[in-house]
Amino acid sequence: MLYAQILVNGLVLGGLYACIAVGFSLVWGVLNVINILHGSFVVLGSYVAYFAYVHLGLHPFLSVFLSGALLFALGYAVQAGLINKVIRAPVLTTLVLTFGLELILNNGVLLAFSADYRTVQLSNPMGSVVVGGIVLPLERVTATLLALALTGLLYLMLVKSRVGRAIVAVRMDPEAAALMGVKVKKIYAITFGVGALMAGAAGSLLSVVFPISPLNSTEFLGIAFVVCVLGGLGSIAGAMVGGIALGVIESFGALFIGPEHGLTIAFVLLILLLIVRPTGIMGRRGYE
Amino acid sequence: MMNRVWTVLTVIAIALVAAMPALGDNYLLRLGTMGAMYAVLALSWNVIGGFAGYPSFATAAFFGLGAYTGGILQGAGLPMPLAWGAACVVAAAFAALLGLAILHLKGHYFAIASLVVGEVLLEIATSWTSLTGGGMGLNLPIIRISIDAQARLFFWSMLTFAVLALLMNYLVARHRLGFGLDCIRQNEDAASMVGIDTTRYKIIAFALSALFVGGAGALYASWVFYIEPPDVFATLTSVKPIVMAMLGGAGTVLGPAVGAVIFLTMEELVWRNLLSIHAAALGLLIVGLIFFLPGGLIGLLTGRRRRAAPKAKGGAA
């Protein structure tokens, strides 16, 4: 029974991880940019949810739209204004640039909100139910289901919408897409915006589960990395699989080795995977 | 001709730095030691990141490994200089082994793998309490000479490492190895096709990039008497040398050293005056650097832009 409970905990955690990672994976896959800002985007989403709840009484599950919209605007501006200008430079340039931007953003968030941990104290919490001896904390479960639903929406957007098709086209072959009349740099900005949107939305959902602090941004970034490599770069299904795998591995790792080693286990796994399967753990094809 | 001018200027600069102890100001001496340490880190990164174009974020891993190797050996009774030398060897050997495992990765995959190695070592150092003292940190043996004499000793030692690192860069740049690394940066597949043993070259470069960093870590540990995992394995230790090298001119011999000195000057001003936003200030420096000084200061002076490496599309390619 203990193992079943831990498995469920891992699955619940994994859905949230998938939502954290999918935007990061999208940006990496389409733009070949590792967005070091991603962790801070998640934290910003949490702060939007926190303040929307404290000042407007907006439930974090609803402020997903608000944080998503705000983060989309921020992400779009960063890509269009800065990263697009050096997108053709060697990998090191974009990597160091997003690192520099992250130092600025994270320092700004620290100054504005301090390093104190905050939590969203819901006035009418949903509590938990016991199903077949397994405890299901309802807020967590709902957050995870919403995270998976959002990820599903992103998938639909990529497959069905005009913009989504353009993103997929640019990912597969930017030159050919440009010849077909796709404005590649605009698509890059939209993609980066969507990546930030998913991070912000994930942040809002996380705010009912985890304490909020700028200090968490590195951990979220680490999670995004590992999920991406575990599941496969740029594919939505990959992010889902990787997220859930990480959630389950972390939960069992916490049981057997100790909760403080969760991220390390993930990192060791990541290095091993990189060594064994260096080129694309799952396919680098379109978004299926 | 140009080369001779640079050589003379370099010797003058080193002589000026070496004259710092004569001023007898311990603050200046501390700055000089820091500057020499930064130069070691930036010059070392330059071998793999500048010459070969591999975005290594492993500097913190080598630095921390060196610091703990030196600290533990000194604690076991090994004389200080031997402990430093051992740290050099251990870091270079570790890099060679690590290189075997991760140097076949390209672009972002290599960058992440090299970054994560430091995180894993940090965790090991934190949890292996019996050897490293864990989160409590590690105290190093007290040296029985006066504070002033210590300050001078560490300054001279660090400066020696810096000069050796500069010499190493110079020799690599002039040697076949430098030519091979340049080819690897421009087009690794083509380099391999014309008969360059890319694997061997990359591993040598990676080991060289760890050699003096490990020593500098051990020296740093002796200098501050106390180390703890988050201090010596800090991610910023991996990022700062890259910024310094880019500031001066990555892929040039003198650039990283020049960048280190300028970086230290800026950091010192920022640290003292803008404590609460020092990270943001560093961030602004990075952003400004990438947009306004992509070739670094040396590139600006010589009017020579570093040839852009071919676009590494896909990272996994």
Side-chain angles (χ1 to χ4, degrees), chain A residues 28 222-233 238 241-247 249 264-283, chain B residues 98 100-106 108-110 112-114 116-117 120 316:
Chain A
W28 188 354
I223 288 167
F225 271 144
V226 179
V227 168
C228 228
V229 176
L230 273 180
L233 184 58
V241 171
I244 287 167
L246 178 62
I249 290 164
T264 313
I265 299 164
F267 279 158
V268 171
L269 208 69
L270 178 128
I271 295 188
L272 291 179
L273 249 167
L274 278 175
I275 290 170
V276 183
R277 300 284 308 270
T279 49
I281 282 77
M282 265 164 68
Chain B
L98 181 66
L100 272 176
I102 68 170
L103 273 170
H104 63 283
L105 301 172
K106 299 270 158 59
H108 284 136
Y109 286 99
F110 174 76
I112 288 172
S114 65
V116 165
V117 169
V120 173

Side-chain angles (χ1 to χ4, degrees), chain B residues 161-184:
Chain B
F161 272 141
V163 172
L164 287 176
L166 186 65
L167 199 64
M168 187 250 299
N169 268 257
Y170 177 73
L171 292 176
V172 168
R174 297 204 41 175
H175 187 262
R176 256 181 74 83
L177 177 64
F179 174 74
L181 295 177
D182 203 45
C183 293
I184 289 172

Side-chain angles (χ1 to χ4, degrees), chain A residues 28-34 81-83 85-97 99-101 103-104 107-108 111 170-171 174-175 188 225 229 233 260-261 264 267-268 270-271 274-276 278-281 284, chain B residues 45 49 55-57 98 101-102 104-105 107-109 111-113 115-117 119-120 123-124 127 235-236 239 242-243 246 276-284 286-287 290-291 306 308-317:
Chain A
W28 188 354
V30 176
L31 280 67
N32 193 29
V33 166
I34 288 206
L82 295 171
I83 304 177
K85 304 216 182 323
V86 293
I87 195 90
R88 298 270 165 236
V91 162
L92 182 71
T93 306
T94 50
L95 198 60
V96 173
L97 174 62
F99 195 95
L101 293 172
L103 286 174
I104 300 171
N107 205 168
L111 277 182
V170 168
R171 174 182 191 247
E175 281 81 17
Y188 280 162
F225 271 144
V229 176
L233 184 58
E260 72 275 21
H261 299 300
T264 313
F267 279 158
V268 171
L270 178 128
I271 295 188
L274 278 175
I275 290 170
V276 183
T279 49
I281 282 77
R284 279 181 37 80
Chain B
W45 178 85
S56 166
F57 283 74
L98 181 66
I102 68 170
H104 63 283
L105 301 172
H108 284 136
Y109 286 99
I112 288 172
L115 179 73
V116 165
V117 169
E119 299 291 319
V120 173
E123 178 74 19
I124 293 172
S127 53
T235 307
L236 272 182
V239 177
I242 301 176
V243 178
M246 290 172 76
S276 62
I277 59 158
H278 76 268
L282 177 57
L284 280 174
I286 290 174
V287 175
I290 282 172
F291 286 108
R306 197 162 102 75
K311 186 185 59 145
K313 177 62 193 165

Side-chain angles (χ1 to χ4, degrees), chain A residues 242-264:
Chain A
I244 287 167
L246 178 62
V248 172
I249 290 164
E250 198 181 308
S251 296
F252 279 98
L255 175 71
F256 292 120
I257 305 174
E260 72 275 21
H261 299 300
L263 202 57
T264 313

Side-chain angles (χ1 to χ4, degrees), chain B:
Chain B
M1 180 57 204
M2 200 61 195
N3 264 335
R4 198 165 298 163
V5 173
W6 281 115
T7 312
V8 170
L9 284 177
T10 309
V11 172
I12 293 174
I14 294 172
L16 279 177
V17 176
M20 283 172 85
L23 296 170
D25 181 338
N26 271 340
Y27 170 72
L28 265 184
L29 217 49
R30 194 190 70 83
L31 268 190
T33 315
M34 270 319 265
M37 186 174 98
Y38 278 178
V40 172
L41 303 189
L43 286 161
S44 297
W45 178 85
N46 193 44
V47 180
I48 188 78
F51 292 154
Y54 268 65
S56 166
F57 283 74
T59 309
F62 303 147
F63 187 81
L65 184 65
Y68 269 98
T69 307
I72 291 164
L73 289 177
Q74 256 186 271
L78 203 67
M80 202 161 60
L82 287 181
W84 298 345
C88 288
V89 174
V90 167
F94 175 76
L97 284 176
L98 181 66
L100 272 176
I102 68 170
L103 273 170
H104 63 283
L105 301 172
K106 299 270 158 59
H108 284 136
Y109 286 99
F110 174 76
I112 288 172
S114 65
L115 179 73
V116 165
V117 169
E119 299 291 319
V120 173
L121 287 184
L122 163 73
E123 178 74 19
I124 293 172
T126 309
S127 53
W128 198 348
T129 313
S130 59
L131 185 71
T132 64
M136 298 277 289
L138 186 70
N139 283 299
L140 276 88
I142 304 291
I143 311 162
R144 293 181 205 292
I145 51 175
S146 75
I147 302 281
D148 280 357
Q150 280 180 33
R152 274 161 218 270
L153 172 68
F154 292 124
F155 170 81
W156 285 114
S157 311
M158 200 65 98
L159 189 64
T160 308
F161 272 141
V163 172
L164 287 176
L166 186 65
L167 199 64
M168 187 250 299
N169 268 257
Y170 177 73
L171 292 176
V172 168
R174 297 204 41 175
H175 187 262
R176 256 181 74 83
L177 177 64
F179 174 74
L181 295 177
D182 203 45
C183 293
I184 289 172
R185 194 189 76 236
Q186 289 179 45
N187 189 336
E188 189 167 343
D189 294 331
S192 174
M193 263 181 273
V194 297
I196 291 171
D197 187 349
T198 53
T199 309
R200 198 164 65 95
Y201 277 33
K202 285 189 295 183
I203 287 175
I204 294 173
F206 205 42
L208 284 177
S209 82
L211 187 69
F212 294 116
V213 174
L219 218 165
Y220 171 82
S222 307
W223 183 33
V224 298
F225 289 120
Y226 169 79
I227 51 171
E228 52 181 356
D231 173 32
V232 294
F233 286 110
T235 307
L236 272 182
T237 307
S238 292
V239 177
K240 283 180 184 175
I242 301 176
V243 178
M244 294 170 208
M246 290 172 76
L247 188 61
T252 65
V253 173
L254 281 178
V258 174
V261 173
I262 298 169
F263 185 92
L264 178 75
T265 314
M266 287 204 264
E267 191 180 58
E268 205 53 27
L269 295 174
V270 170
W271 265 109
R272 270 198 289 172
N273 300 319
L274 310 162
L275 206 54
S276 62
I277 59 158
H278 76 268
L282 177 57
L284 280 174
L285 167 68
I286 290 174
V287 175
L289 194 60
I290 282 172
F291 286 108
F292 301 114
L293 207 60
L297 284 168
I298 295 278
L300 204 65
L301 286 177
T302 57
R304 207 176 39 198
R305 285 270 168 108
R306 197 162 102 75
R307 276 159 301 178
K311 186 185 59 145
K313 177 62 193 165

